[in-house]
Amino acid sequence: MDLRIFTEPQQGASYETLLKVAKATEVLGFDAFFRSDHYLRMGDADGLPGPTDAWITLAGLARETRRIRLGTLMTAGTFRLPGVLAVQVAQVDQMSGGRVELGLGAGWFEAEHKAYGIPFPKEKFGRLEEQLAIITGLWATATGEEFSYDGTYYQLENSPALPKPAQGKVPVLVGGHGATRTPRLAAQYADEFNIPFASLEDSARQFGRVRAAAEAAGRKGDELVYSNALVACVGRDDAEVARRAAAIGREVDELKANGLAGSPAEVVDKIGRYAAIGASRVYLQMLDLDDLDHLELISTQVQSQLG
């Protein structure tokens, strides 16, 4: 079971804070550092000192880290043109020495689009499908050849399809709860399928849909990595769990029901239940980015028991 650290910087984090968390992620033996792609805070957080851009952040971290994978859950398809995003991701992959992964979603938070003047189209899923086709097509085009695409939403003509990522293939993540179109899209384009903040029952049902869609598309269901994103709130005792829950404005019982919360033993047990339904990777949503002791506790007392 891979454990990855997943951050939500729009809630309030500077680049320096993210750098500290990424370096701790690397030192403590976690597999990867991922971040969301949002420009506006959600809920009661103050959002200070203001948003950071996902791919500018990852470019900086690419030069400041050496081992961990770097990526997004999920890059908003509404924020960037697909050809431009292919260039950005390939460049950051080169800067990292081939450690980048691209999670790409349709975009959903209308308020942030209004706040920053970003168009919020009605038909987002169709655009996402074309974006995935273009990005993966650009990267797959042999050097010296050209790539063209004539879609409903995007048209590319005689693109040199450069630059290329450092990796032979940048892993692509698709995720979500949709029952039909999402599994089909994952089966066609994804190396990994992620379901965020879902119960064991809902996760098992969605993993099954993706496996079936993959097989219908001529792939083996096990070709994809299956993963969950879950909020983490771990403590050495009940008081520490309660303190960490209060720090992120959540209730302990709710976190235990919907996330990975409690003692290290409780969290190891719950991760094991996700593993039993096919998950081989968990993204730990860390909402208090100043609490590096939390990361150390998970590393020494949770991750160490997962093998």
Side-chain angles (χ1 to χ4, degrees):
M1 175 68 72
D2 291 334
L3 293 187
R4 295 183 159 190
I5 300 304
F6 170 43
T7 61
E8 302 272 10
Q10 76 278 355
Q11 300 301 90
S14 66
Y15 173 75
E16 290 303 320
T17 296
L18 295 171
L19 177 59
K20 289 177 183 177
V21 175
K23 286 186 172 181
T25 297
E26 185 156 88
V27 168
L28 294 170
F30 293 103
D31 182 61
F33 174 95
F34 271 58
R35 59 157 293 163
S36 61
D37 188 19
H38 288 293
Y39 292 132
L40 190 67
R41 66 177 176 84
M42 302 171 194
D44 296 329
D46 61 23
L48 297 174
T52 51
D53 181 83
W55 286 100
I56 291 176
T57 297
L58 295 175
L61 298 180
R63 307 303 292 175
E64 298 278 359
T65 58
R66 293 292 175 267
R67 178 188 59 81
I68 52 174
R69 308 288 295 177
L70 301 166
T72 52
L73 283 182
M74 300 283 189
T75 290
T78 48
F79 288 0
R80 300 167 182 87
L81 297 171
V84 174
L85 182 59
V87 171
Q88 292 171 323
V89 176
Q91 183 178 4
V92 178
D93 194 54
Q94 291 174 359
M95 293 167 70
S96 72
R99 294 182 286 121
V100 160
E101 304 186 9
L102 172 63
L104 186 60
W108 62 271
F109 190 20
E110 186 173 5
E112 71 185 338
H113 293 74
K114 291 180 177 178
Y116 286 93
I118 303 168
F120 190 69
K122 181 178 180 181
E123 180 46 66
K124 292 180 287 298
F125 197 91
R127 291 174 183 271
L128 173 62
E129 186 163 9
E130 290 193 8
Q131 289 165 341
L132 286 164
I134 290 166
I135 292 167
T136 57
L138 285 167
W139 290 339
T141 299
T143 301
E145 297 183 4
E146 294 181 336
F147 176 84
S148 296
Y149 185 87
D150 186 16
T152 302
Y153 306 103
Y154 303 102
Q155 295 79 40
L156 285 74
E157 185 176 343
N158 301 328
S159 172
L162 297 171
K164 299 301 186 191
Q167 300 175 79
K169 186 180 190 308
V170 172
V172 172
L173 289 73
V174 170
H177 296 260
T180 305
R181 294 193 299 177
T182 297
R184 177 181 58 79
L185 210 57
Q188 186 170 0
Y189 294 107
D191 301 283
E192 177 178 337
F193 178 78
N194 176 268
I195 185 165
F197 316 119
S199 67
L200 285 158
E201 294 76 17
D202 288 345
S203 297
R205 186 178 304 112
Q206 190 69 333
F207 289 166
R209 290 171 179 147
V210 174
R211 288 179 185 277
E215 290 166 3
R219 300 177 66 183
K220 294 181 179 178
D222 289 340
E223 282 185 33
L224 283 81
V225 172
Y226 296 87
S227 63
N228 289 86
L230 295 162
V231 61
C233 181
V234 189
R236 297 172 181 85
D237 52 37
D238 290 345
E240 191 167 72
V241 175
R243 174 176 64 78
R244 289 201 163 108
I248 60 174
R250 304 278 285 270
E251 297 293 330
V252 172
D253 288 346
E254 178 268 321
L255 287 168
K256 287 189 175 184
N258 299 314
L260 298 172
S263 69
E266 288 178 287
V267 171
V268 168
D269 176 72
K270 192 162 187 182
I271 290 174
R273 282 182 270 158
Y274 278 96
I277 63 166
S280 60
R281 183 171 290 160
V282 173
Y283 294 81
L284 302 171
Q285 186 195 41
M286 310 301 295
L287 295 176
D288 184 354
L289 298 183
D290 293 316
D291 187 2
L292 297 184
D293 180 61
H294 196 190
L295 289 179
E296 184 174 3
L297 175 65
I298 295 170
S299 172
T300 59
Q301 297 195 33
V302 175
Q303 183 173 237
S304 62
Q305 297 187 56
L306 297 176

